[in-house]
Amino acid sequence: VSVSFAGRLARLGERAGERGFAAVVVSPSPDLAYLTGYSPMPFERPTLLVVRPGLDPAMLVPELEEAPARSSPGGALLEVVTWSDGSDPYAAAAQILPASGTIAAGDRMWAAHLLGLQQALPGAIFQAASPLIGELRSVKDAGELDALRRAGGAADATFRELCRLSFLGRTEAEVASDVADLLVSNGHTRADFTIVASGPNSASPHHEPGQRRFEARDAVVLDFGGELDSYFSDTTRTVAVGEPPEGFDEIYGAVEGAQEAAFGAIHPGVPAEQIDRAARSVIEEAGFGDRFIHRTGHGIGLEVHEPPYIVEGNAAAVVAGNTFSIEPGVYVSGRYGVRIEDIVAVTADGAERFNLSTRELQVVE
Ligand code: ZN
Ligand code: ZN
Ligand code: ZN
């Protein structure tokens, strides 16, 4: 499936016009990669894509990067304008941006670049471009769904192999390094993150794996993901080293039930916060509501965390093509935690899981 950068640029220009923006300006970031396929390193020399309703898109690039900019996948669609070292790049940007009106600026633009633009364009008002671009990026096309599905499969294979490793007596850091290797050997281009949280550490959702050694009756939260064809996997399973700790089954059951309830609540047109409530109410009924200390999920695609966020207060409806995590958790300080996370896609009539690993409690040795 080939990507239509022309289509993405045109849709952004159209939406910007509809919402009253005079222009959208984007620097090197996943937004730029999404719109043009061009992903140079973000540096102090500004590269700025400018999309204006009704006009051809343009990109300001440092003179020394003209060749890669022109030969990038979307390069032929852009009017490439160069600036040279020693000249003022923001004055050059002002030539391809409107002098007044509202300009949407990408989230990942360095403050230094935005401040430079604001000084060069005192008559313009700058706003965040994330509502515009985030909405476009959150609806995945067939090629993007396929990449995310394959990334999910590679993460599932990683978990299967992980369950056969020995844990007892080894350190979290050792197992985390195994997870990174398995992510790659199962098809990821690179590992992105590997949370291995054992025993009391599992009560900290974003624990950094360290030198603690696994003990019998530890709960272990394994949350990992990698990049595959520019898209990410992200899955969590909680396992027990031997027999589960005291009182653990009840919490595990509540989280498993919450994960299932949230998945069942997904349907196009359903407000994101309603999916969060579906998970939360199961955990509240089990008596652990105050121990579910984070949102139910986040969108995923070219970034591990991106819109839509599955959180109270997000009343926007999910639509077919949205992809996000469903990851309820319960954390009991000093003892243990449980989180179960799958990536899902909203379909025309419900949802599809991209992670198919068993959600039954697995026992490791
Ligand atoms: Zn997280
Ligand atoms: Zn995760
Ligand atoms: Zn996640």
Side-chain angles (χ1 to χ4, degrees):
V1 188
S2 68
V3 181
S4 171
F5 294 112
R8 290 175 179 180
L9 286 162
R11 273 198 299 283
L12 178 59
E14 218 167 276
R15 281 199 200 194
E18 285 163 10
R19 312 248 171 118
F21 287 98
V24 184
V25 59
V26 172
S27 57
S29 59
D31 284 341
L32 184 66
Y34 178 80
L35 292 165
T36 67
Y38 184 44
S39 36
M41 293 289 290
F43 277 135
E44 74 293 353
R45 289 188 178 102
T47 292
L48 299 168
L49 170 70
V50 174
V51 177
R52 299 184 63 176
L55 295 174
D56 284 338
M59 190 162 65
L60 180 75
V61 299
E63 190 177 23
L64 78 166
E65 291 173 3
E66 184 178 357
R70 282 192 191 278
S71 61
S72 67
L77 304 165
L78 310 171
E79 181 202 339
V80 174
V81 179
T82 62
W83 67 274
S84 0
D85 285 349
S87 71
D88 179 354
Y90 306 108
Q95 300 303 307
I96 54 171
L97 278 162
S100 61
T102 306
I103 299 174
D107 277 20
R108 297 277 199 106
M109 185 177 294
W110 284 16
H113 297 325
L114 182 58
L115 290 167
L117 289 175
Q118 285 180 321
Q119 204 160 36
L121 294 161
I125 294 163
F126 286 84
Q127 278 184 15
S130 39
L132 276 177
I133 305 178
E135 208 177 285
L136 280 184
R137 279 178 50 191
S138 76
V139 182
K140 271 65 181 179
D141 64 28
E144 294 182 286
L145 292 171
D146 180 60
L148 286 161
R149 193 181 286 113
R150 284 183 290 120
D156 290 348
T158 298
F159 179 67
R160 271 197 305 278
E161 292 186 38
L162 198 49
C163 287
R164 293 189 214 117
L165 299 180
S166 63
F167 283 67
L168 203 61
R170 297 175 71 216
T171 67
E172 292 174 343
E174 284 163 1
V175 170
S177 133
D178 290 343
V179 175
D181 292 345
L182 288 172
L183 283 165
V184 172
S185 65
N186 282 293
H188 292 89
T189 320
R190 64 178 182 91
D192 192 56
F193 58 94
T194 54
I195 296 176
V196 176
S198 67
N201 292 339
S202 62
S204 169
H206 279 173
H207 173 70
E208 188 65 37
Q211 295 310 309
R212 184 179 182 277
R213 290 181 190 280
F214 298 98
E215 295 172 12
R217 307 203 73 181
D218 270 354
V220 185
V221 170
L222 300 160
D223 182 354
F224 49 88
E227 188 182 341
L228 190 158
D229 289 352
S230 304
Y231 286 79
F232 286 89
S233 62
D234 180 8
T235 188
T236 307
R237 289 294 183 268
T238 303
V239 301
V241 182
E243 201 191 324
E246 195 74 39
F248 184 77
D249 287 343
E250 200 189 340
I251 286 175
Y252 192 93
V255 173
E256 196 182 5
Q259 217 269 359
E260 194 59 53
F263 181 74
I266 303 168
H267 197 275
V270 167
E273 63 187 2
Q274 205 166 303
I275 300 167
D276 180 82
R277 286 176 198 158
R280 210 162 292 279
S281 62
V282 172
I283 289 175
E284 279 167 0
E285 274 165 38
F288 307 114
D290 61 335
R291 301 288 78 219
F292 179 10
I293 55 172
H294 54 69
R295 66 191 175 207
T296 292
H298 54 83
I300 188 165
L302 290 169
E303 289 174 276
V304 181
H305 289 186
E306 59 179 48
Y309 293 101
I310 310 304
V311 63
E312 185 63 44
N314 183 5
V318 299
V319 299
N322 284 165
T323 50
F324 48 82
S325 69
I326 294 293
E327 52 177 306
V330 167
Y331 309 92
V332 182
S333 290
R335 298 185 70 190
Y336 41 64
V338 178
R339 182 165 65 258
I340 301 175
E341 173 180 27
D342 289 333
I343 300 305
V344 304
V346 183
T347 61
D349 57 1
E352 175 190 348
R353 288 184 198 270
F354 285 172
N355 292 107
L356 302 169
S357 301
T358 180
R359 294 184 299 282
E360 303 277 291
L361 178 65
Q362 298 299 294
V363 170
V364 297
E365 293 185 339

